[in-house]
Amino acid sequence: MTCTATLRRSSLLLTFALTLAPAAQAQSATTVRLGFFPNLTHAPALIGLERGTFQKALGNAKLDARQFVSGTTLNEAFAAGQIDIAYIGPGPAISAATRGMPVQFLAGTAEAGAVLVARKDSGIKTYKDMAGKVVAVPSLGNTQDISLRHILKDNSLRDRKDGGNVTIVPIPPADIVAAFAGKRADAALVPEPWGAALEAQGHKVVGTEKTVWREGKYPTTILIVNTKFAQANPALVTAFLKAHNEAVAFLIKSPAAAQTAVNAQLAKLTGEKLDARVLQRAFSRTRFTTALDLEALKEYAALNVEAGYARSVPDLSQFIRK
């Protein structure tokens, strides 16, 4: 199936899901449903959960936190009205906006924090060496997939499904270590801390967070909210945003304590605790911020079109919550 065919199929699924999504409640919600990934690029979510600051900020409203493996699956849940607020990559967020989903961009979360790692015996030393290889991304249509397709284009390569000789396969980040061990993938473009975890096993970083795109000055994760939920529950959204800002400030001002909290939450979510040195390396490749870089988002929207997941670049300023 080509990228264009995938786009048409995803659009139909999301349109159908939107027709089933329940109407926003007229009164203040009693539960806030949060979507996030167990990745370092979603560290503010991990901090807010581990320290209990989200629940504290929401007061009597219950926090229902749900983890996802990729922006593609989270987008489907968001479209079906199952998620109110979410940490998500710019690719899926822009796709949601383009397809008419009721979404607002609340704040920035993380920049960079993704690397291209080659299996140590794959023979891949440069981007061009991906020719004839199998390269993994968290899911088709997610932020890393879009970034990878741009890297391939810059190096005169293409996905096999689009007539090229690079096979792009979706593998959840937590499964990449096993995929490398089983030689089911020759390389992977993954968010941290999975890149650092692979590197610790002797695999090679071919593309650093600075060479993936824009010298590392690009959003990897942003915070979004369902527009209808925001209109019906402005106080809850404001309270959650305040807690998000506090989590980002904690990550910046107290990195050692933040790494401990992130590792503790990752252990609860994945059942595994990362080596402190691995986490430190992953942190060094990731920048946390509450700012939304509109110009970078516009450029990412153009990459979305380039990858075949959208037909045009929307006016993203209309989706940013004032």
Side-chain angles (χ1 to χ4, degrees), residues 304-319:
N304 220 8
V305 174
E306 177 184 277
Y309 290 120
R311 294 187 178 88
S312 61
V313 177
D315 176 11
L316 295 178
S317 62
Q318 65 180 309
F319 298 105

Side-chain angles (χ1 to χ4, degrees), residues 131-146:
K133 303 294 186 179
V134 177
V135 185
V137 292
S139 70
L140 299 181
N142 93 311
T143 299
Q144 282 73 49
D145 177 38
I146 294 167

Side-chain angles (χ1 to χ4, degrees), residues 60-296:
N60 293 328
K62 179 185 176 182
L63 177 68
D64 179 7
R66 308 176 186 182
Q67 62 171 312
F68 292 80
V69 298
S70 74
T72 306
T73 55
L74 198 160
N75 243 4
E76 291 173 358
F78 195 89
Q82 298 169 356
I83 296 296
D84 304 311
I85 298 176
Y87 289 89
I88 195 169
I94 292 169
S95 293
T98 303
R99 295 170 190 173
M101 289 168 58
V103 59
Q104 289 183 339
F105 301 171
L106 281 178
T109 297
E111 294 182 339
V115 293
L116 181 69
V117 184
R119 204 181 68 241
K120 53 189 172 185
D121 58 351
S122 68
I124 299 175
K125 296 182 179 179
T126 68
Y127 285 151
K128 289 185 180 295
D129 293 334
M130 288 189 287
K133 303 294 186 179
V134 177
V135 185
V137 292
S139 70
L140 299 181
N142 93 311
T143 299
Q144 282 73 49
D145 177 38
I146 294 167
S147 296
L148 175 62
R149 292 176 191 276
H150 183 64
I151 290 171
L152 294 181
K153 182 177 182 294
D154 277 353
N155 288 274
S156 301
L157 299 171
R158 282 186 297 171
D159 179 14
R160 188 177 299 277
K161 293 180 180 179
D162 292 327
N165 62 355
V166 179
T167 302
I168 301 176
V169 297
I171 301 177
D175 297 335
I176 287 293
V177 172
F180 270 31
K183 296 189 176 182
R184 291 187 286 115
D186 300 302
L189 183 53
V190 289
E192 295 292 6
W194 312 111
L198 289 169
E199 189 178 10
Q201 293 187 343
H203 303 296
K204 306 300 180 183
V205 173
V206 175
T208 68
E209 78 286 356
K210 293 182 179 180
T211 62
V212 166
W213 189 51
R214 272 181 125 244
E215 298 181 344
K217 299 174 183 177
Y218 60 91
T220 308
T221 307
I222 64 174
L223 183 65
I224 65 173
V225 64
N226 181 294
T227 303
K228 295 178 181 179
F229 179 86
Q231 291 171 345
N233 305 279
L236 286 178
V237 174
T238 298
F240 188 92
L241 184 56
K242 182 175 182 294
H244 165 74
N245 292 342
E246 290 173 357
V248 172
F250 181 68
L251 281 157
I252 295 171
K253 297 177 181 178
S254 307
Q259 287 176 33
T260 299
V262 165
N263 211 357
Q265 185 62 208
L266 283 174
K268 293 175 183 177
L269 296 169
T270 67
E272 295 183 14
K273 194 171 185 178
L274 291 171
D275 181 274
R277 290 168 296 182
V278 170
L279 197 57
Q280 287 171 4
R281 180 171 291 175
F283 259 82
S284 72
R285 295 171 176 160
T286 311
R287 177 175 173 264
F288 302 104
T289 178
T290 59
L292 279 170
D293 187 337
L294 184 57
E295 289 307 310

